[in-house]
Amino acid sequence: MTTEKHGFEAEVSRLLHMMVHSVYSEREIFLRELISNASDACDKLRYEALTNSDLLKDAGEFAVDIRLDKDAKTIAISDNGIGMNKEDLISHLGTIARSGTSAFIDNISGDEKKDVNLIGQFGVGFYSVFMVADKVEVLSRKAGEDKAWLWVSDGLGEYTISEGEKDGCGTSIMLHIKDDADEFLDVHRLKNIIKTYSDHITFPISLISKNEDKEAKEEEKSEKVNDGTALWAKSKSDITEEQYKEFYHHVAHAFDDPSMTIHYRAEGKIEYTVLLFIPSQPPMDLFDPARKTKVKLYVKRVFITDDCEDLLPGYLRFMRGVVDSEDLPLNISREMLQNNPVMTSIRNAVTKRVLGELEKKAEKDKAGYIEFWNAFGPVLKEGIYEDFALRDQILKISRFESTADKGLSSLDDYIGRMKKDRDTIYYITADTLQAAKRSPQLEGFKAKKIEVLYFTDPVDEFWLQMVPEYEGKKLVSVTRGSADLDDKKKKKKKNTAELDALIGVLKTNLGEAVKDVRPSERLTDSAVCLVADDNDMDIHMERILKMHNKLEGGTSARVMEINPDNPLIKSLATEAVKDGSVDALKDASQILLDQAKIMEGDLPDDPVAFASRLSSIMTRSFG
Ligand code: ADP
Ligand code: MG
């Protein structure tokens, strides 16, 4: 029989090196990882068998066995789940297939102390076995196939694969325990670990060991260790915080702690149980374009799928956990799940409930809610434009920074702080909070103490298109349209002849490059700024679309606003009434426009020309 030698993918080797030399104090998690994988494998086979009952021919009752042999210094974890063939072994146990694991690797710093903490933060799945074993043998047979395969490795860069012998499908993983890990060769210790981390696993977990009782007839004794009832089916009062946490780790394949747990049973026309968690750390694939939800669907305690788009909307894709329906048929296929009316009502009700729970948290636990918002706000806000029915509910729990510098506020907070006679919610959109704060367009609003909200997530531009007003107050961008900041009673200042002359000169010199030139009400310090005309696209939105090559036609010309009180504008205005001013102010006109673009965070249209104009002006003044 041939034995093939394979090298681990380079990244796996790095990871294994860490495991082999690990000083991580909670090495016991290896058992949780193996049991979790074994349970997943049983779930997968049960689901596959719904459409192909032949697969269960030789399977028997699903179970996980853990066999301890103190003398041989081995622990073997066996399941009768889906199993792995040769290709599976190579791709699942030889490469980094999981996003979580590759994120882990990206974060490895080389500083042992820091990296050890990462093990706890990211978890490392199967590879954690090399913290306690110096040799691992995986014997597996895939359901529906005849051949079994043996994968062997000492975790030092290589593994071998050869054909093996195995009755029935499933996987058996034999760990040869390291000398310094012999604490795990103890029945009581193993029992404790299983109880702590894996009590909620719904398949029976049996611990098999040599019978210490010399009188007994059997050489071995076997004991079922876990409780085995689905955690979500228990009543809340019977579940400890710890148990929720461990279940979350298992169901989410995550290692942080849940920041929120939502557990309830819906009774009525449609019956189902919900146990959902909000992570405390954003999952790595949160901004994956596929926007997949990961919540698992069960039917009467039987796992159906974790790939069910209709269970929760994409903007709640950070949620993890389980929905268990009493009404769907057990043999439901992926196709039957699509557009299924039971699924639709569950989805609508669960979504509303989650938003309601978030609203409660926002009221009761402000600091906790802000943490949630910082992690998941940008995702939740996708719902404002996607989910017409729940738009107002999502807007209500959305939070934004503002010029009031009061930290994150709700729209209701903003309205509460607004002067009675105002009917406008002002905002500015920008790429970052710093960029927003620097915007010259804010000057007049600050001077008049009118609060402006900062919208700094790309998603903000999109929902803003759908939401013209909130609670009867118009939402208005400060970089758009004419700003009417003065109290209605006060008369507008009249332009001087000089200012009018300057406006004329600028219009002639800039031509098509600007849509209009006008005196500004929003500037108090800066000389110029650009604003979008009432009917044009917002400047920031245009930039986002341009970045993604989604802009049809070119960028639109902007309105240039000049500040009549600014010293530079004043002296330019004095020049503007003199003969030949159009030519004399050619460079100055262009520089004013370029300056406004730079303040927007854009480049001048022609940076080289900009630099040469600036040099010639500096030469004139210093020369
Ligand atoms: P994860 O469980 O998060 O996917 P692991 O590192 O724990 O990551 O496992 C990697 C992969 O190896 C699993 O996704 C699964 O495909 C495969 N695997 C591990 N253990 C088993 C098992 N007992 N039976 C079948 N497949 C397994
Ligand atoms: Mg796993």
Side-chain angles (χ1 to χ4, degrees):
M1 206 193 316
T2 54
T3 301
E4 285 179 23
K5 231 183 209 162
H6 292 260
F8 285 108
E9 208 179 46
E11 291 183 316
V12 178
S13 291
R14 268 175 79 195
L15 180 72
L16 286 171
H17 182 85
M18 272 201 67
M19 289 307 118
V20 171
H21 299 96
S22 166
V23 292
Y24 186 54
S25 54
E26 289 159 58
R27 295 191 292 180
E28 63 195 35
I29 59 153
F30 78 92
L31 193 56
R32 162 185 83 184
E33 294 305 312
L34 293 184
I35 292 175
S36 172
N37 287 348
S39 152
D40 287 348
C42 294
D43 274 340
K44 277 182 208 158
L45 177 54
R46 185 155 60 182
Y47 183 63
E48 291 298 319
L50 291 179
T51 45
N52 179 5
S53 54
D54 280 356
L55 291 180
L56 286 182
K57 255 192 345 239
D58 55 7
E61 287 289 303
F62 289 116
V64 182
D65 284 349
I66 296 166
R67 184 178 296 268
L68 168 68
D69 187 336
K70 247 181 169 162
D71 302 330
K73 297 191 175 172
T74 59
I75 302 174
I77 293 92
S78 311
D79 64 68
N80 50 354
I82 190 84
M84 288 177 275
N85 60 20
K86 187 177 168 193
E87 288 70 43
D88 293 339
L89 285 166
I90 292 174
S91 73
H92 298 332
L93 305 186
T95 62
I96 298 279
R98 292 193 308 154
S99 52
T101 313
S102 53
F104 175 87
I105 290 190
D106 293 343
N107 277 280
I108 291 180
S109 64
D111 175 344
E112 193 154 310
K113 278 214 187 90
K114 275 193 207 148
D115 293 343
V116 158
N117 286 331
L118 286 178
I119 298 177
Q121 250 178 57
F122 290 93
V124 281
F126 170 78
Y127 301 115
S128 63
V129 292
F130 290 104
M131 293 195 291
V132 298
D134 46 22
K135 183 177 168 195
V136 176
E137 295 168 281
V138 180
L139 179 62
S140 194
R141 189 170 132 196
K142 190 160 184 164
E145 298 185 12
D146 299 329
K147 276 187 191 164
W149 297 93
L150 179 66
W151 177 105
V152 183
S153 180
D154 55 9
L156 296 176
E158 283 180 340
Y159 60 92
T160 60
I161 291 193
S162 53
E163 263 190 70
E165 291 288 327
K166 189 178 184 316
D167 294 335
C169 66
T171 305
S172 179
I173 301 180
M174 172 81 80
L175 311 183
H176 297 266
I177 298 297
K178 288 183 192 178
D179 287 341
D180 73 355
D182 55 7
E183 55 181 299
F184 298 110
L185 295 171
D186 177 66
V187 182
H188 303 290
R189 181 72 198 276
L190 290 183
K191 212 155 108 182
N192 253 326
I193 301 175
I194 299 168
K195 266 279 175 212
T196 310
Y197 295 105
S198 310
D199 205 31
H200 57 81
I201 297 287
T202 44
F203 304 104
I205 304 171
S206 303
L207 189 52
I208 302 153
S209 59
K210 204 155 125 193
N211 211 335
E212 306 284 342
D213 180 359
K214 298 275 183 306
E215 312 280 279
K217 270 191 248 128
E218 286 90 19
E219 250 175 66
E220 280 186 334
K221 72 171 184 207
S222 169
E223 187 185 358
K224 178 173 168 265
V225 183
N226 62 324
D227 172 341
T229 23
L231 190 77
W232 62 91
K234 293 188 183 182
S235 87
K236 262 172 144 164
S237 52
D238 293 339
I239 306 174
T240 65
E241 198 76 7
E242 261 328 284
Q243 287 172 319
Y244 273 129
K245 207 163 90 184
E246 280 314 326
F247 180 71
Y248 164 74
H249 290 162
H250 167 70
V251 77
H253 289 216
F255 302 88
D256 56 337
D257 291 344
S259 68
M260 216 170 136
T261 304
I262 301 174
H263 184 192
Y264 69 96
R265 196 179 159 75
E267 276 157 358
K269 227 169 48 201
I270 296 183
E271 290 186 10
Y272 54 90
T273 304
V274 174
L275 175 50
L276 291 177
F277 301 94
I278 296 179
S280 47
Q281 282 169 13
M284 291 302 155
D285 54 0
L286 193 57
F287 288 100
D288 210 66
R291 302 173 75 238
K292 278 211 159 129
T293 54
K294 295 262 171 74
V295 170
K296 296 190 178 185
L297 176 69
Y298 281 69
V299 172
K300 302 186 187 74
R301 256 71 60 218
V302 174
F303 172 76
I304 301 296
T305 176
D306 55 5
D307 184 16
C308 178
E309 281 173 27
D310 289 329
L311 198 49
L312 274 185
Y315 64 85
L316 292 182
R317 63 185 176 277
F318 51 84
M319 312 266 330
R320 296 291 185 267
V322 170
V323 173
D324 186 354
S325 158
E326 298 292 330
D327 304 296
L328 293 167
L330 259 176
N331 60 351
I332 191 159
S333 67
R334 271 172 246 258
E335 292 68 44
M336 285 161 71
L337 283 172
Q338 273 162 13
N339 303 321
N340 183 303
V342 174
M343 290 293 288
T344 311
S345 359
I346 293 180
R347 169 193 164 114
N348 290 344
V350 173
T351 305
K352 237 186 243 154
R353 175 72 178 242
V354 169
L355 295 179
E357 294 291 332
L358 285 171
E359 195 174 330
K360 270 192 234 158
K361 187 179 174 83
E363 278 160 24
K364 277 194 265 166
D365 171 19
K366 284 213 161 65
Y369 187 74
I370 294 300
E371 262 175 49
F372 158 80
W373 184 258
N374 286 332
F376 303 111
V379 179
L380 191 66
K381 278 189 289 185
E382 292 170 10
I384 306 175
Y385 71 81
E386 262 177 20
D387 198 336
F388 180 77
L390 298 176
R391 174 170 299 161
D392 282 346
Q393 211 178 337
I394 303 172
L395 272 173
K396 207 172 183 57
I397 56 173
S398 292
R399 296 290 180 268
F400 308 98
E401 298 280 349
S402 85
T403 50
D405 261 340
K406 294 206 184 307
L408 287 162
S409 308
S410 66
L411 292 177
D412 293 324
D413 294 338
Y414 179 100
I415 292 174
R417 292 194 285 259
M418 218 155 120
K419 282 218 189 84
K420 290 282 162 294
D421 57 337
R422 294 230 159 247
D423 54 2
T424 313
I425 298 173
Y426 287 106
Y427 66 84
I428 183 161
T429 55
D431 292 340
T432 62
L433 194 57
Q434 283 103 316
K437 286 185 174 172
R438 278 198 308 258
S439 298
Q441 288 95 337
L442 291 176
E443 291 169 3
F445 290 85
K446 282 187 188 153
K448 297 219 162 57
K449 299 213 163 40
I450 298 174
E451 184 175 354
V452 178
L453 295 170
Y454 297 129
F455 291 165
T456 53
D457 288 313
V459 58
D460 292 326
E461 288 289 2
F462 295 91
W463 68 258
L464 279 163
Q465 321 247 332
M466 327 280 300
V467 183
E469 54 175 56
Y470 176 77
E471 300 279 330
K473 312 275 181 202
K474 255 194 293 181
L475 279 151
V476 173
S477 165
V478 302
T479 65
R480 182 180 200 150
S482 49
D484 186 12
L485 300 183
D486 275 319
D487 298 327
K488 299 207 169 65
K489 286 155 250 157
K490 263 199 232 159
K491 283 244 176 69
K492 288 233 164 90
K493 266 192 251 161
K494 271 194 76 136
N495 292 353
T496 60
E498 278 137 355
L499 192 63
D500 282 334
L502 178 58
I503 289 174
V505 168
L506 288 170
K507 280 186 184 168
T508 314
N509 280 339
L510 296 174
E512 301 273 287
V514 292
K515 195 159 188 179
D516 193 10
V517 179
R518 66 187 178 213
S520 182
E521 285 195 53
R522 62 194 107 209
L523 294 177
T524 57
D525 301 324
S526 304
V528 276
C529 71
L530 294 175
V531 298
D533 211 6
D534 270 324
N535 304 315
D536 284 346
M537 194 185 286
D538 200 68
I539 299 181
H540 183 242
M541 177 70 173
E542 199 173 87
R543 189 165 339 124
I544 290 181
L545 292 181
K546 201 162 137 191
M547 236 156 49
H548 292 94
N549 291 324
K550 289 270 164 56
L551 196 62
E552 282 162 25
T555 44
S556 23
R558 297 303 177 189
V559 176
M560 180 168 161
E561 289 196 351
I562 55 175
N563 175 3
D565 300 323
N566 176 281
L568 172 62
I569 298 296
K570 276 187 185 156
S571 45
L572 288 175
T574 320
E575 293 299 311
V577 285
K578 296 182 183 163
D579 281 348
S581 64
V582 169
D583 279 338
L585 294 180
K586 244 197 179 93
D587 279 352
S589 310
Q590 190 60 49
I591 286 184
L592 269 188
L593 176 61
D594 287 342
Q595 195 185 331
K597 289 199 170 156
I598 291 171
M599 285 195 288
E600 282 300 324
D602 282 335
L603 278 180
D605 287 336
D606 183 347
V608 177
F610 170 73
S612 100
R613 280 190 198 104
L614 195 61
S615 306
S616 80
I617 287 185
M618 281 161 72
T619 315
R620 257 179 272 154
S621 55
F622 295 118

